[in-house]
Amino acid sequence: MTDLIETERLPLSVFAEKAYLDYSMYVVLDRALPHVADGLKPVQRRIVYAMSELGLSAGAKYKKSARTVGDVLGKFHPHGDTACYEAMVTMAQPFAYRYPLVDGQGNWGSPDDPKSFAAMRYTESRLTPYAATLLAELGSGTADWVPNFDGTLDEPKLLPARLPNILVNGTTGIAVGMATDIPPHNLRELAKACIHLLKHPGAEIETLMGFVPAPDYPTGCEIVSESADLLKLYRTGNGQVRARAVWEREADTGNIIITALPHQVSGAKVQEQIADQMRAKKLPLVEDLRDESDHESPVRIVIVPRSNRVDVPQLMAHLFATTDLEKSYRVNLNMIGLDGRPKVKNLREILVEWLDYRFATVTRRLNHRLAKVNDRLHLLEGLLIAFLNLDEVIRIIRQEDEPKAVLMRTFALSERQADYILDTKLRQLARLEEMKIKGEQDALETERAELERLLGDDAALKKLIAQEIREDAEKYGDDRRCALNAAPPAQAMSAEAILPAEPITVVLSKAGWIRAGKGHDLDPEALSYKAGDEYGLHCTGKTNQLLILVDDNGRAYTLNPRELPSARSQGEPVTTRLDLQDGGKIVAMMLGDAGDRYVVGSTEGYGFVVTLESLQGRNRAGKAAITVAKGAGLLRPAHVSGDGLQLAITTAEGRLLLFPVAELPELPKGKGNKLVTLKGQDRILASCVLPADAALVLSCGKRTLTLKAADLEHYSGERGRRGNKLPRGFQKVDEVAVELPSASASAEGV
């Protein structure tokens, strides 16, 4: 009563802490984590044991799963039937377990939807042959027995596993404050590692990985993790495993055939992911997608490339990066050890600890058999005495009031021998033959000697364990399903690389409305504009190139040409996509590759060479690029392509200067170097880049002046000079253009 009162007076914080810790330890030790000995959680162990008690061996007839679940819940596991049945289903799914423990009949789910299994009243089940490795030695004194939840029955604390099931099938679980993710492995590989460890107890993890190089998932995918990552995983017990789908290309059609998917990946989901990209026009390299899976080919997904020129390895790398065709699996080798404590163990620790358990199990099995043999020899010794004195034994049994005591006194028998003789029928006793008894004695004596030899010699015991592991591996093992092919993580293709590059013309009106039309033959001035608006700027290029806009403050803005509205419409205000700073107005546009070079500058006489990549920015507000003084304007950018180019500059005073573009520095941003010397109110009117042997066309109102290469020598000089005066009538230049030697028409300077 006092204890009860004291308990009721506990502070709430103390009570809550104890309750939480009790629950936590229960979840950790009795629900979520597997044991290193048999690799099973309590519910799994109870399902397997209950099925064995129901006689549902591999050779038995199937029985309703509801019967099994009822037995498990009623006798050993008083929890929810749904959770118990789901645990049973997982052990029966060949795509979930590497070596299933339950043989199911009926609908037990599919790889596309593992939760689509039928209710337990519809399915039937029994144990698989592999489950015998957990149960075969259960009745040989190898298990510790503990009371069940209500104390009416005993259940095995651990199953005497003949193989390291903890790594063979693996498991997942979430406890309190910890979790476990143990991948499955190949049985034959683990067996070889265990045998090697028995022969060489000091073997390191690197040596063991020569036998167990990586997990082996049941779906037969491709392990692409680097060897260094796998070594770290098995050395620390934590890490990741990357797996990819297996694919091949048909020689006759060129189609891509996916024949195996990563573990727990739904083929339907993968197809949906690819189809979504196709519908969004983000996967133009793929023309068609089909599912040709059937019973003979459980996984057969057909991807049809658009043409035979498609780079298939690059396409698959993109799909690996953007779909579940490549998946990473978290590995956390957390389990309950032989000391009863949870711990994350490395590969060597797991195998050593399991071998210790196996050593103890086999020792218990041999001792149990030795005790049976000794007991039988003891009984046979009494039977032999009874046979040799059969008449006297019969007389004593028939005539004496206490035949047991008389037999013990007369023939120096033990109580156990006397009871056995008395329990034997007289007719059977009469038929006993001395040779039969002695023959059985000899056989048992030989067996006893062998058992004592094994128990007294650790080397012989290890040899026996190794032999049993080897036999089980040959009986239940198979070849590795997951090929090893180390590869770096897949990278998704950029939009520029995966989408076709189409020629476009980008048009900007004076009011700031932007749009893009297909092709380069578009007449921007002939497009329809809103009332009061008209043509402003345009540039040509491809959809996979950079579009750079520059305002009159020298800030550069970046747009994706693919996202611009069609030229069939009147476009949209550029301010819906950009935040123009300080009242800026777009005065220049450039569309080209990242490495394209342009001459940029201001009308105050300074400039430099810049690449489009340097002008590229991610913000809507753009980035400062060209320093423009107050009152100055921005020069129209001039494309630089090739060597031997000259920059032609005309000023308001009517001067023209030509100098090599190579004299200008290449800068990411700034003011640049002096282009031309300006005096007073002079400023630059126009500029263009002039190839060798090209002519310069000056537009002055309605008049034009063409200066050929010989004429331009008069105006050539060093960068920063004033230049020479142009002829009268051509000193106020409105526009400059380039006329190539082979061209009949002039090209506008940009």
Side-chain angles (χ1 to χ4, degrees):
M1 186 65 181
T2 306
D3 294 340
L4 181 61
I5 294 173
E6 291 298 322
T7 302
E8 291 180 347
R9 290 178 178 175
L10 282 175
L12 181 59
S13 60
V14 176
F15 176 82
E17 182 180 357
K18 184 177 182 303
Y20 178 76
L21 287 175
D22 290 345
Y23 170 76
S24 301
M25 294 307 299
Y26 161 72
V27 172
V28 171
L29 300 178
D30 293 323
R31 275 185 69 176
L33 296 188
H35 201 284
V36 69
D38 56 12
L40 300 176
K41 301 177 185 178
V43 64
Q44 296 169 329
R45 186 177 303 114
R46 288 162 178 168
I47 290 171
V48 172
Y49 175 66
M51 292 183 73
S52 70
E53 287 294 287
L54 286 170
L56 296 177
S57 63
K61 291 183 178 180
Y62 292 96
K63 286 186 180 180
K64 288 289 185 183
S65 301
R67 167 85 180 276
T68 301
V69 172
D71 251 42
V72 174
L73 299 185
K75 295 181 178 179
F76 309 111
H77 197 72
H79 296 278
D81 59 338
T82 302
C84 180
Y85 182 52
E86 286 187 4
M88 182 178 175
V89 168
T90 303
M91 293 191 291
Q93 292 175 335
F95 49 85
Y97 259 45
R98 184 65 176 82
Y99 302 90
L101 298 175
V102 177
D103 179 12
Q105 186 170 263
N107 180 11
W108 290 80
S110 66
D112 284 337
D113 189 7
K115 299 291 186 180
S116 63
F117 51 84
M120 58 185 165
R121 62 182 179 272
Y122 298 119
T123 62
E124 298 177 333
S125 58
R126 64 184 180 186
L127 294 171
T128 61
Y130 174 78
T133 63
L134 299 170
L135 298 164
E137 300 175 355
L138 190 59
S140 302
T142 55
D144 293 327
W145 296 83
V146 295
N148 68 339
F149 64 92
D150 60 2
T152 58
L153 296 169
D154 287 337
E155 61 177 318
K157 186 177 180 180
L158 297 169
L159 296 181
R162 293 171 60 91
L163 293 167
N165 190 62
I166 186 71
L167 291 177
V168 169
N169 275 318
T171 191
T172 61
I174 301 175
V176 178
M178 63 182 70
T180 184
D181 292 280
I182 305 174
H185 294 76
N186 185 268
L187 176 53
R188 291 177 180 174
E189 294 176 353
L190 285 171
K192 291 177 181 178
C194 290
I195 293 171
H196 182 83
L197 200 55
L198 284 170
K199 295 179 180 178
H200 305 88
E204 297 294 334
I205 292 176
E206 291 83 355
T207 306
L208 296 176
M209 284 187 64
F211 303 99
V212 188
D216 190 27
Y217 295 100
T219 50
C221 52
E222 190 175 64
I223 305 293
V224 295
S225 295
E226 302 287 348
S227 55
D229 295 336
L230 293 172
L231 176 59
K232 182 182 177 182
L233 185 158
Y234 285 123
R235 185 176 284 167
T236 63
N238 278 298
Q240 282 191 338
V241 176
R242 289 187 298 109
R244 285 180 181 175
V246 178
W247 66 277
E248 59 185 18
R249 192 172 188 186
E250 284 187 333
D252 52 346
T253 64
N255 295 340
I256 303 166
I257 311 297
I258 297 173
T259 57
L261 294 170
H263 182 51
Q264 295 177 333
V265 169
S266 165
K269 184 179 179 182
V270 169
Q271 294 174 67
E272 184 181 349
Q273 292 172 334
I274 299 175
D276 287 343
Q277 294 189 48
M278 294 173 66
R279 283 192 291 268
K281 297 182 179 181
K282 294 182 177 180
L283 200 61
L285 301 179
V286 176
E287 182 178 347
D288 193 17
L289 177 68
R290 300 193 301 270
D291 186 5
E292 297 182 355
S293 305
D294 53 27
H295 290 291
E296 294 183 359
S297 303
V299 178
R300 184 177 171 84
I301 300 174
V302 181
I303 301 173
V304 182
R306 185 167 294 277
S307 71
N308 56 8
R309 295 186 300 275
V310 172
D311 189 342
V312 173
Q314 189 178 22
L315 170 61
M316 291 305 299
H318 174 78
L319 293 178
F320 286 143
T322 58
T323 69
D324 286 344
L325 289 176
E326 179 176 325
K327 194 171 182 180
S328 293
Y329 301 92
R330 183 176 179 271
V331 177
N332 181 22
L333 304 181
N334 188 17
M335 63 198 70
I336 300 173
L338 296 181
D339 58 358
R341 298 181 179 180
K343 183 184 176 183
V344 177
K345 304 179 185 293
N346 60 39
L347 178 62
R348 173 180 163 79
E349 288 174 336
I350 295 172
L351 294 181
V352 167
E353 198 157 341
W354 180 81
L355 285 172
D356 289 343
Y357 176 73
R358 185 61 188 157
F359 194 91
T361 300
V362 174
T363 302
R364 293 179 65 172
R365 187 190 77 200
L366 296 178
N367 279 320
H368 180 267
R369 179 57 187 170
L370 181 60
K372 290 280 189 182
V373 170
N374 285 331
D375 183 65
R376 182 60 181 170
L377 284 172
H378 183 63
L379 295 178
L380 288 176
E381 184 181 350
L383 278 178
L384 186 58
I385 294 173
F387 177 78
L388 296 176
N389 301 276
L390 186 58
D391 293 338
E392 181 62 16
V393 169
I394 293 173
R395 187 195 67 77
I396 293 172
I397 294 173
R398 288 178 175 177
Q399 297 179 5
E400 296 293 336
D401 294 333
E402 296 182 359
K404 179 180 175 180
V406 176
L407 285 173
M408 292 174 63
R409 186 171 58 252
T410 304
F411 302 108
L413 300 176
S414 67
E415 185 176 356
R416 179 98 169 94
Q417 291 173 323
D419 286 335
Y420 187 71
I421 293 171
L422 292 173
D423 291 339
T424 305
K425 293 181 180 180
L426 291 177
R427 285 182 302 174
Q428 183 179 346
L429 193 62
R431 288 200 312 267
L432 291 175
E433 299 179 9
E434 183 180 4
M435 295 301 296
K436 288 184 178 181
I437 297 174
K438 289 187 175 180
E440 186 177 356
Q441 280 182 322
D442 292 342
L444 291 174
E445 287 286 356
T446 303
E447 185 179 357
R448 180 168 64 178
E450 177 64 16
L451 291 171
E452 290 176 345
R453 183 186 71 83
L454 291 172
L455 290 169
D457 187 353
D458 285 350
L461 191 56
K462 288 181 179 179
K463 188 176 180 181
L464 173 64
I465 294 172
Q467 179 60 29
E468 291 177 349
I469 293 174
R470 189 179 296 107
E471 291 173 355
D472 286 338
E474 292 176 358
K475 185 176 182 181
Y476 303 107
D478 56 3
D479 296 331
R480 166 173 279 277
R481 297 180 185 177
C482 295
L484 302 178
N485 185 18
Q491 297 291 328
M493 298 169 64
S494 63
E496 291 75 16
I498 199 168
L499 296 177
E502 299 176 348
I504 61 166
T505 301
V506 180
V507 182
L508 182 71
S509 73
K510 284 190 176 180
W513 288 64
I514 195 168
R515 49 185 156 170
K518 293 183 178 180
H520 292 166
D521 55 354
L522 180 71
D523 186 0
E525 297 187 16
L527 297 175
S528 101
Y529 295 89
K530 288 185 175 294
D533 197 8
E534 59 182 340
Y535 164 77
L537 301 169
H538 83 279
C539 60
T540 59
K542 295 183 178 180
T543 53
N544 63 343
Q545 294 179 323
L546 289 177
L547 176 60
I548 305 296
L549 289 75
V550 185
D551 66 8
D552 50 8
N553 296 318
R555 296 188 70 84
Y557 304 85
T558 305
L559 288 178
N560 186 351
R562 299 183 189 276
E563 299 177 355
L564 297 179
S566 172
R568 296 177 180 176
S569 67
Q570 293 180 333
E572 64 181 22
V574 72
T575 52
T576 61
R577 297 177 179 270
L578 304 175
D579 295 332
L580 299 179
Q581 303 294 301
D582 302 326
K585 181 181 179 182
I586 301 299
V587 295
M589 293 195 304
M590 294 166 280
L591 181 59
D593 297 327
D596 285 359
R597 303 164 67 237
Y598 283 80
V599 175
V600 295
S602 65
T603 57
E604 64 177 340
Y606 290 86
F608 58 96
V609 177
V610 68
T611 62
L612 290 188
E613 187 176 18
S614 300
L615 299 177
Q616 183 181 9
R618 298 181 179 179
N619 299 327
R620 286 172 55 95
K623 60 187 293 186
I626 308 166
T627 303
V628 181
K630 188 175 182 181
L634 191 75
L635 296 179
R636 182 175 294 182
H639 188 217
V640 179
S641 61
D643 299 323
L645 302 176
Q646 289 189 308
L647 183 65
I649 298 174
T650 62
T651 69
E653 289 187 352
R655 292 179 179 274
L656 171 64
L657 175 65
L658 275 78
F659 64 86
V661 175
E663 294 183 5
L664 285 176
E666 184 173 320
L667 304 173
K669 63 178 182 179
K671 182 178 180 180
N673 290 3
K674 182 181 286 188
L675 303 176
V676 62
T677 297
L678 303 175
K679 293 188 176 181
Q681 300 297 316
D682 197 12
R683 59 186 177 85
I684 297 176
L685 291 181
S687 65
C688 72
V689 172
L690 195 69
D693 300 326
L696 184 65
V697 181
L698 306 177
S699 298
C700 306
K702 295 183 179 180
R703 303 177 64 189
T704 61
L705 173 65
T706 301
L707 299 176
K708 297 187 181 295
D711 304 326
L712 293 173
E713 292 182 2
H714 175 66
Y715 302 97
S716 298
E718 298 177 354
R719 179 184 60 81
R721 300 285 186 177
R722 293 190 66 192
N724 293 326
K725 280 277 189 177
L726 289 166
R728 287 183 179 272
F730 297 97
Q731 294 183 355
K732 191 176 180 180
V733 179
D734 297 320
E735 197 171 3
V736 294
V738 177
E739 185 178 88
L740 300 175
S742 59
S744 59
S746 63
E748 183 183 346
V750 187

